[in-house]
Amino acid sequence: MTTNSIHGMWSSRLMFILAASGSAVGLGNIWRFPYVAGENGGGAFVMVYLVCIFLIGIPIMVSEIIIGRSARKSPINAMAAAASKSAVSMKWQLVGWMGVVAGFMILSFYAVIAGWVLSYVFQLGSGVFTDSSSELAEGIFSNFVGNVWEVLAWFTIFLVSTILITARGVSSGLEVAVKYLMPILFCLLIALVIYSATTSGHFMEGANFLFSLNFEKLTWNSILVAMGQAFFTLSLGMGAIMAYGAYMPKDASVIGTATTIALMDTGVALMSGLVIFPLVFANGLESAAGPGLMFITLPLAFGQMAGGQLFGCIFFVLVAFAAITSAISLIEPAIAWIVEKQKTSRHTAALTVGGCVWLLGLGSVFSTNIWSDVFIFDDMTFLDSMDYFTNNIILPLGGIFIAVFAGWVLSNKILDNELMHDGRYYPIWKFLCRFIAPVGVSVVFIMALLQGK
Ligand code: TRP
């Protein structure tokens, strides 16, 4: 069995945890979780999301790590290697291909939202939000996203930074970002929760919205969205964690590591919700405001607090870093594959991938301005459609394949070897992977399809 990857290795188990949490914690937690929870009625949605994290997400994360680590190659080649070692069809590597395509699609809109975040660093720093009203904050947001050149410029800056970091390799750069910036982000979020709890006057209303179960609002489509959010937030279903798993040291418990990552990620998402919803209610905003939610509530709050201009600016800088450590993992599978296949340098590979993502991303750049009335599915713009299609369809589908592959196909020799530090959790993982994850995802798919939107 190979022990090292040609792309380099994480220096320790902790480094893997940091890198994988860097991938998991991102816009999905701070921007997407609150707004999809808001659009889908809160409490019951959040519960379904949590169930999906634990019963489906963690087992699939473990599967991705096992497959990646046993092969020490990019997801496409890791799937091929694992299939050949288990003596099954090489078609399984199509799962790796699907993941590469999904990564391009996700990054193409992810980088646009991250561009919004970058621009907000400067908007907050400039003090335009000081003592602003909700109308003003809403106005600033819609003016900004309506300006095609500005959105394009910030999107490009974000994507170029991602490409530059990725080109340098997995450990330099990334290690620093996750080791120092993530803990600071965590602390700032805690401070914001406390601020929201003590000053908004609507903390309980916000907490109730997030945690009280009202099942009337729960449709099969919102269950699908909750499940999609669980995949998205844990970076599952497209090989990102598989790619990172390939650089993970051998002597670490896989299930324990995956659970740690999932708990951290969930903690950040719930905290973001606890910051944002009290502010929504305190300022008479709409909980179902959609993708702009974070860009309106947070600047408002920073505008009202002492020192908010500085804190707001720092907060958005940290969110931008969280986004970049996630963005890197979205293209790592493609880049690692190109390096393995073409024997080209990481630089060339990163540049090629970046160029493709930039072109595709133009559709999302235009979605809030010149193409704001171009709808692809139903009433969804290009950006919304990319987001909906990747998160709710491709990732869960990739997840089913990965779970079935790890649970039913992968040889016992590989499993025993990879899970030797996991003792009594091994059978539980196997059960969830074989039955609960594939059946759960399939049922949600079928019901959502039957029920329509
Ligand atoms: N999990 C990241 C977030 O929450 C986004 C992300 C990074 C991702 N890599 C991924 C999502 C792979 C799906 C698949 O912001």
Side-chain angles (χ1 to χ4, degrees):
M1 199 153 287
T2 37
T3 51
N4 275 316
S5 132
I6 62 161
H7 308 285
M9 294 285 290
W10 305 118
S11 45
S12 63
R13 165 173 183 255
L14 178 66
M15 215 36 247
F16 172 80
I17 294 188
L18 288 176
S21 331
S23 164
V25 175
L27 298 176
N29 309 61
I30 301 163
W31 159 73
R32 198 172 188 277
F33 170 75
Y35 103 72
V36 288
E39 282 182 340
N40 291 281
F45 174 91
V46 175
M47 197 200 68
V48 176
Y49 157 83
L50 290 174
V51 169
C52 290
I53 293 273
F54 288 97
L55 295 187
I56 301 178
I58 296 180
I60 293 180
M61 184 180 286
V62 172
S63 311
E64 287 206 23
I65 299 175
I66 293 176
I67 299 169
R69 194 171 73 164
S70 70
R72 298 242 177 267
K73 292 196 177 105
S74 71
I76 295 176
N77 288 330
M79 286 301 293
S84 109
K85 274 189 223 155
S86 309
V88 292
S89 161
M90 296 301 278
K91 291 223 175 64
W92 280 102
Q93 66 172 306
L94 288 175
V95 176
W97 278 105
M98 194 167 90
V100 165
V101 173
F104 276 62
M105 292 170 70
I106 297 177
L107 185 58
S108 79
F109 74 81
Y110 198 84
V112 173
I113 309 292
W116 298 0
V117 171
L118 284 181
S119 126
Y120 264 60
V121 169
F122 293 90
Q123 307 225 35
L124 277 145
S126 75
V128 284
F129 289 104
T130 309
D131 291 327
S132 72
S133 61
S134 41
E135 291 77 33
L136 189 70
E138 281 170 325
I140 293 177
F141 175 71
S142 53
N143 270 340
F144 165 69
V145 294
N147 184 328
V148 59
W149 293 110
E150 275 195 51
V151 177
L152 179 64
W154 289 113
F155 157 68
T156 309
I157 294 173
F158 180 83
L159 199 58
V160 169
S161 322
T162 307
I163 297 304
L164 286 178
I165 298 181
T166 324
R168 299 194 49 192
V170 280
S171 49
S172 41
L174 191 62
E175 291 210 11
V176 186
V178 280
K179 201 145 85 194
Y180 298 105
L181 300 175
M182 286 296 153
I184 306 180
L185 177 69
F186 214 74
C187 295
L188 259 185
L189 260 179
I190 294 178
L192 279 178
V193 174
I194 295 172
Y195 172 84
S196 193
T198 49
T199 56
S200 71
H202 288 71
F203 188 72
M204 285 322 289
E205 206 179 327
N208 261 333
F209 179 77
L210 270 183
F211 299 116
S212 66
L213 303 177
N214 58 339
F215 287 97
E216 312 90 67
K217 293 232 176 105
L218 204 63
T219 60
W220 279 102
N221 187 60
S222 44
I223 295 178
L224 177 65
V225 175
M227 184 175 80
Q229 173 63 18
F231 277 92
F232 183 74
T233 193
L234 294 179
S235 303
L236 298 177
M238 56 72 66
I241 299 293
M242 204 184 284
Y244 278 14
Y247 320 138
M248 179 180 173
K250 194 76 202 183
D251 57 350
S253 137
V254 181
I255 297 176
T257 308
T259 310
T260 312
I261 296 164
L263 287 175
M264 271 198 276
D265 185 79
T266 308
V268 173
L270 293 179
M271 281 198 287
S272 307
L274 285 177
V275 173
I276 286 181
F277 286 107
L279 296 171
V280 165
F281 297 119
N283 292 289
L285 293 163
E286 194 56 58
S287 58
L293 191 62
M294 165 183 110
F295 295 93
I296 295 164
T297 48
L298 291 184
L300 255 178
F302 286 120
Q304 289 158 5
M305 76 177 75
Q309 195 170 336
L310 180 68
F311 280 130
C313 185
I314 297 176
F315 184 79
F316 275 84
V317 169
L318 293 169
V319 175
F321 273 102
I324 222 165
T325 56
S326 300
I328 291 168
S329 74
L330 281 163
I331 41 171
E332 181 60 24
I335 291 177
W337 180 77
I338 297 179
V339 172
E340 283 163 13
K341 173 84 181 171
Q342 309 291 342
K343 308 268 182 277
T344 51
S345 68
R346 279 187 74 89
H347 287 88
T348 323
L351 209 64
T352 318
V353 172
C356 299
V357 173
W358 188 81
L359 281 178
L360 187 61
L362 292 179
S364 296
V365 168
F366 300 154
S367 292
T368 50
N369 36 67
I370 52 182
W371 287 358
S372 60
D373 46 12
V374 177
F375 301 119
I376 315 273
F377 302 119
D378 278 344
D379 55 349
M380 290 188 246
T381 61
F382 188 88
L383 193 162
D384 299 335
S385 312
M386 284 298 230
D387 178 318
Y388 188 90
F389 186 65
T390 48
N391 292 319
N392 304 327
I393 317 248
I394 307 194
L395 296 182
L397 201 60
I400 297 189
F401 287 127
I402 292 168
V404 167
F405 185 76
W408 294 96
V409 179
L410 213 54
S411 77
N412 277 329
K413 197 164 137 242
I414 298 184
L415 287 183
D416 295 343
N417 195 314
E418 293 298 324
L419 291 171
M420 63 187 160
H421 300 290
D422 288 289
R424 59 203 165 101
Y425 297 108
Y426 181 178
I428 305 178
W429 166 77
K430 199 154 188 179
F431 175 76
L432 293 174
C433 225
R434 286 191 151 188
F435 301 101
I436 304 298
V439 173
V441 177
S442 310
V443 168
V444 176
F445 267 154
I446 294 169
M447 294 308 291
L449 205 67
L450 290 180
Q451 198 184 57
K453 276 202 84 178

